[in-house]
Amino acid sequence: MEPSLLITGFEPFDGRLFNSSWEAICRLKLKNTILERLPVVWDEPTRRIKELFEEFKPHTILSLGEGHEGWFDIETIARNRRTSRTDESGSLPQVGVNSASGAPSLKITTEVEKLHKHLLTKGYPVRISSDAGNFICEETLYCIESLLRENRETLKRVLFIHLPPFETELEINEKSTSVDKKYLEDFASGLLRYLDPEILIPNRSQENY
């Protein structure tokens, strides 16, 4: 069976040893899924995601990134602009936009309100965001939404979610919670079970989610 879901995370950046977007998914056991760790390098996410989409034609693309402390953010606006910021190769963007022929911004067409409410009921501090950051994450968001609009018969939904940085702290019910590997894996497994109940191969720690 061809993979039905493409999930992407990122390599560590800015001198960090871990990236929460990859730590959340890299140890999960999944069926019919491609996992891809993207470099934090201008243009590489666009190139690699398009390559994987053309090869496997997944119906869902879920991209995760590392965002703000204290929150999960479901991103809803992809802006066609790039900040003048060096990537992990030490390079600035060669152009100031994500697509020379694309619209100034794209509003995500996948419905996110029900997912937002679901994650809130599970106790996650999650917001619906309209600012993806103008860096590599925004490039990725612009790429996957553009792919959806160009391939509606094949690609049915795309999502981009920023996770809080690895080993930072969250305040939940007035208690401090560490964003460690288990917490991130629990979030990702619950999210995937919501998106596709058949995709996750459960282990004992996930059975009661």
Side-chain angles (χ1 to χ4, degrees), residues 18-123:
F18 300 95
N19 189 308
S20 60
S21 65
W22 186 247
E23 294 304 311
I25 58 177
C26 65
R27 286 170 293 275
L28 296 182
K29 296 182 179 180
L30 305 168
K31 296 180 288 186
N32 305 324
T33 301
I34 308 161
L35 290 181
E36 183 74 8
R37 187 169 72 159
L38 300 170
V40 183
V41 174
W42 290 112
D43 295 315
E44 280 301 298
T46 298
R47 182 194 66 79
R48 186 59 179 148
I49 289 171
K50 287 183 176 181
E51 184 177 76
L52 290 169
F53 177 77
E54 288 302 317
E55 182 175 359
F56 296 107
K57 295 294 194 293
H59 65 62
T60 297
I61 300 176
L62 168 64
S63 291
L64 303 175
E66 191 170 82
H68 299 291
E69 290 190 26
W71 295 95
F72 295 83
D73 285 308
I74 304 172
E75 301 298 344
T76 58
I77 300 290
R79 291 180 173 81
N80 193 11
R81 64 189 185 203
R82 296 179 172 186
T83 188
S84 183
R85 178 176 173 181
T86 55
D87 61 20
E88 287 301 291
S89 73
S91 300
L92 292 168
Q94 293 186 355
V95 294
V97 294
N98 295 310
S99 171
S101 59
S105 66
L106 300 175
K107 183 174 176 58
I108 302 309
T109 49
T110 301
E111 194 271 335
V112 300
E113 284 77 12
K114 290 181 180 179
L115 171 61
H116 179 233
K117 291 179 180 178
H118 171 77
L119 293 174
L120 287 174
T121 64
K122 294 296 183 180

Side-chain angles (χ1 to χ4, degrees), residues 127-176:
R127 306 179 295 191
I128 294 178
S129 167
S130 60
D131 183 3
N134 295 336
F135 192 38
I136 308 296
C137 287
E138 187 130 48
E139 175 193 329
T140 302
L141 178 60
Y142 199 95
C143 170
I144 62 177
E145 178 61 25
S146 297
L147 277 175
L148 186 149
R149 296 180 182 217
E150 296 164 2
N151 300 276
R152 291 185 183 275
E153 292 186 3
T154 304
L155 186 56
K156 302 304 181 183
R157 60 184 174 181
V158 299
L159 288 166
F160 192 105
I161 301 177
H162 271 118
L163 282 57
F166 187 65
E167 293 185 339
T168 57
E169 298 292 318
L170 294 173
E171 291 294 326
I172 301 175
N173 298 325
E174 299 183 351
K175 294 182 179 180
S176 182

